[in-house]
Amino acid sequence: MYHLDIYGTLVAATLVLLLGRKLVQTVPFLEKYTIPEPVAGGLLAAFALLVVKQFTGWEVSFDLSLKDPLMLTFFAAIGLNANLASLKAGGRSLVIFIFVVVGLLFVQNTVGLALAKMLGLDPLMGLLAGTITLSGGHGTGAAWGQIFTERYGFESATEVAMACATFGLVLGGLIGGPVARFLVKNTKTPGLSADDTEIPTAFEKPYTGRLITPLVMLETIAMISVCLLAGNYIQSALKGTPFELPTFVCVLFIGVILSNGLSMLGFYRVFDRAVSVLGNVSLSLFLAMALMSLKLWQLASLALPMLIILSVQSVVMALYAIFITYRVMGKNFDAAVLSAGHCGFGLGATPTAIANMQAITDRFGPSHVAFLLVPMVGAFFIDIVNAAIIKLYLLLPVFPSIAG
């Protein structure tokens, strides 16, 4: 076992990102299917570590102390850049997209339960391979896995949940680009040289006009720090109550309240360019750390029936994005980018969705609508609705011990 401390892990993550960028620029397949740079570099690193373990017996471990803070920083940045007026700007499209996303939640759980029954598995396995880990991600998977083990005697529920969430995170980054490219083929794109007078939303143009001063950077770091501190405090206060929320939702809430509150009072206006730069750096480093630290041999040890369920779920996500998300959202370029984002957070997490959309818009042109809707829905609405839907499914007759 060779262990990289926090500094070694940070160096490794930055090298993985640089490697991913080089791969996407030089490998035609990756460029053609717009695979996000952190996904390309992170998966290559994970496969390299798998080969090292298989042939030498050596295992490399990482100090991932920064991974969760980086993820929370990303969500704090989304909150700080969330102007409440944008809810009105989202308007009808926001409402429609929420219904589309909620529809997928019911589809995923139904598919998971049906396949678990067909394969003779515990129905709880179907939920773990449904919205708990796919739309919910690692955080939701860990929480429900612990509940299934402690309350309902489902052994290894947490390990299964982590494996499913990891599978989803990888596939969410891999299928988003190909799905969007398939949809874009017959769709008019704005083009990179289009006359675009609208101000880009947060995370939409991470490399454009990002000149910032040291003072602005310090102010931004201070606000993000407040979001992390207050968000963690609120999550701890709500823990064990009916109002319990994941930490990142609390952090995002604080960001929204802080930025809009200061703006309404006239005290301070958030410098969105600095916030989005820090958010994008955190996003890239988080994804690099999450993917390069994958223990692929643990995924290989999953039972074949579980792999079947997860594979079917991936196909269902792609088909849902193509035939439902794209069509319902208008069958245009914005709908194609939304579909790529939906693949990201429908199988993995909001950071993956943002990375998917950035890969598409960097190549084909801007999509303000997609970058307005996905952070709000993928990082906010989905977790609240998902918790309610999971509890609703647990009331079904196939869960007698839980329903009782």
Side-chain angles (χ1 to χ4, degrees), residues 282-303:
S282 300
L283 161 67
S284 296
L285 287 173
F286 163 75
L287 286 174
M289 288 184 182
L291 292 169
M292 75 182 188
S293 62
L294 290 179
K295 296 182 178 179
L296 295 178
W297 54 92
Q298 291 183 352
L299 283 181
S301 67
L302 279 175

Side-chain angles (χ1 to χ4, degrees), residues 9-10 13-14 16-17 38-39 42 64-75 137-139 165 169 248 278-294 348-353 355:
T9 300
L10 185 59
T14 55
V16 162
L17 288 175
V39 174
L64 299 176
S65 303
L66 289 177
K67 189 162 76 81
D68 286 346
L70 286 169
M71 180 190 70
L72 295 177
T73 298
F74 166 72
F75 284 106
H138 285 81
L169 187 67
F248 70 84
L278 281 176
N280 275 291
V281 170
S282 300
L283 161 67
S284 296
L285 287 173
F286 163 75
L287 286 174
M289 288 184 182
L291 292 169
M292 75 182 188
S293 62
L294 290 179
T350 303
T352 307

Side-chain angles (χ1 to χ4, degrees), residues 308-330:
I308 292 174
I309 295 177
L310 294 172
S311 299
V312 171
Q313 290 281 27
S314 300
V315 174
V316 168
M317 176 71 257
L319 294 175
Y320 191 94
I322 293 171
F323 292 104
I324 303 297
T325 307
Y326 177 69
R327 293 173 181 270
V328 173
M329 296 310 298

Side-chain angles (χ1 to χ4, degrees), residues 83-85 256-269:
N83 188 340
L84 290 179
V256 173
I257 294 171
L258 182 61
S259 63
N260 287 276
L262 291 175
S263 178
M264 289 174 60
L265 294 173
F267 289 159
Y268 181 79
R269 184 174 180 82

Side-chain angles (χ1 to χ4, degrees), residues 106-124:
F106 283 102
V107 170
Q108 284 183 330
N109 279 337
T110 301
V111 169
L113 286 175
L115 289 174
K117 182 176 179 60
M118 289 173 56
L119 297 170
L121 301 174
D122 188 320
L124 289 174

Side-chain angles (χ1 to χ4, degrees), residues 39 41 53 72 92 141 184 239 320:
V39 174
K53 179 176 173 59
L72 295 177
R92 182 170 176 267
V184 164
K239 192 171 183 178
Y320 191 94

